[in-house]
């Protein structure tokens, strides 16, 4: 549907975001889903947040490195919104306007779940999104889910003790993030589909494709 901006809504390109907590396999599944879509003849622009444009990747460095306490929750929310504004303007919106599909590894719901979990009000996050990115929302959001704790274990194994500023937080923080994703998915069922991330990578990709079947040409 393209959020608040009617100019995007009329175009044929679809904007898909993948969301979920640490270690649910989002990055692997983003690449696999892109390949599955290409095999169906759908060309996709694959991107990620924070990042995805030159300016936003520079902001990503500021956000991901350093001490957990480097930024206050308010400063962090503003940095994510600034990165997203640049990414939307320079990369996502031009691709959608050209009729392309965009597949984005994390987007606004990550800010709502992660920064929301630190006391930043959902309405404030959405107001920043309205200001920075004209409120652009995905046409479909795929929320990868795993039983509590499973994703963190996978992430710990993957990161080998060198987690970034977010992965380094405790299990209580990650449980809050999962609960926030759940609340958002319950409230916005038209846009968001939960997808079970357990089982083989192939099985998960199949479930993701099923959750997009109504959008496929
Ligand atoms: P990732 O590249 O491993 O997904 O890491 C990005 C980290 O940044 C992840 O821990 C979630 C966090 N994050 C936020 O806290 N807010 C956001 O808006 C986004 C996009 C990511």
């Amino acid at each position: 549907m393209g959020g608040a901006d009617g100019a995007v809504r009329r175009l044929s390109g679809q904007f898909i975001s993948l969301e979920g907590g640490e270690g649910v396999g989002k990055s692997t599944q983003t690449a696999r889903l892109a390949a599955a879509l290409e095999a169906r003849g759908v060309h996709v622009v694959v991107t990620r947040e924070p990042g995805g444009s030159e300016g936003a990747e520079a902001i990503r460095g500021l956000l991901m490195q350093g001490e957990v306490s480097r930024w206050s929750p308010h400063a962090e929310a503003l940095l994510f919104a600034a990165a997203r504004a640049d990414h939307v303007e320079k990369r996502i919106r031009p691709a959608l306007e050209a009729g392309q599909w965009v597949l984005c590894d994390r987007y606004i719901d990550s800010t709502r779940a992660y920064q929301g979990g630190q006391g930043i009000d959902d309405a404030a996050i959405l107001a920043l999104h309205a200001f920075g990115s004209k409120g652009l929302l995905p046409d479909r959001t795929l929320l990868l889910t795993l039983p509590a704790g499973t994703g963190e274990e996978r992430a710990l194994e993957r990161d080998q003790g060198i987690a970034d500023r977010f992965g380094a937080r405790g299990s209580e923080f990650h449980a809050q993030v999962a609960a926030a994703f759940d609340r958002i998915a319950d409230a916005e069922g038209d846009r968001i589909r939960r997808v079970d991330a357990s089982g083989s990578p192939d099985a998960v990709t199949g479930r993701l494709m099923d959750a997009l079947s109504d959008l496929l040409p």
Side-chain angles (χ1 to χ4, degrees):
M1 61 144 194
D5 191 337
V8 170
R9 193 170 305 167
R10 285 191 300 274
L11 295 164
S12 57
Q14 299 285 340
F15 179 20
I16 312 297
S17 64
L18 256 83
E19 296 279 9
E22 308 299 310
V24 289
K26 252 179 325 73
S27 303
T28 307
Q29 286 300 330
T30 300
R32 294 182 63 95
L33 181 58
L37 287 167
E38 296 274 351
R40 285 283 295 265
V42 177
H43 177 64
V44 281
V45 172
V46 180
T47 188
R48 69 165 182 184
E49 290 207 344
S53 62
E54 196 184 332
E57 288 290 334
I59 297 173
R60 180 183 174 97
L62 296 174
L63 279 162
M64 304 302 283
Q65 290 152 24
E67 297 296 316
V68 170
S69 61
R70 182 179 189 183
W71 306 108
S72 72
H74 288 82
E76 203 167 82
L78 287 163
L79 285 167
F80 277 111
R84 184 160 302 125
D86 190 68
H87 185 207
V88 166
E89 186 192 333
K90 305 267 174 56
R91 188 118 189 258
I92 297 178
R93 203 180 286 281
L96 293 173
E97 284 173 358
Q100 291 177 308
W101 281 51
V102 174
L103 184 56
C104 192
D105 181 346
R106 295 196 185 280
Y107 190 65
I108 183 67
D109 300 308
S110 279
T111 309
R112 299 170 75 191
Y114 282 76
Q115 282 62 57
Q118 293 173 86
I120 307 291
D121 197 63
D122 199 46
I125 292 169
L126 292 174
L128 286 178
H129 187 52
F131 175 71
S133 302
K134 295 188 187 150
L136 180 71
L137 288 177
D139 297 289
R140 177 74 38 88
T141 294
L142 304 168
L143 174 62
L144 287 168
T145 61
L146 278 177
T150 321
E152 276 169 67
E153 273 167 34
R154 280 200 204 170
L156 279 175
E157 226 167 86
R158 178 195 65 199
D159 299 337
Q160 301 284 326
I162 48 161
D164 57 45
R165 285 185 58 245
F166 296 92
R169 297 177 199 210
S171 55
E172 198 182 317
F173 175 78
H174 295 293
Q176 274 176 3
V177 167
F181 273 130
D182 255 349
R183 276 197 303 277
I184 300 166
D186 283 344
E188 296 175 43
D190 284 352
R191 172 172 67 89
I192 306 177
R193 302 274 190 281
R194 285 184 179 84
V195 175
D196 177 6
S198 62
S200 72
D202 252 359
V204 180
T205 310
R207 286 178 211 132
L208 290 169
M209 284 297 277
D210 286 347
L212 293 178
S213 58
D214 58 317
L215 301 180
L216 291 170

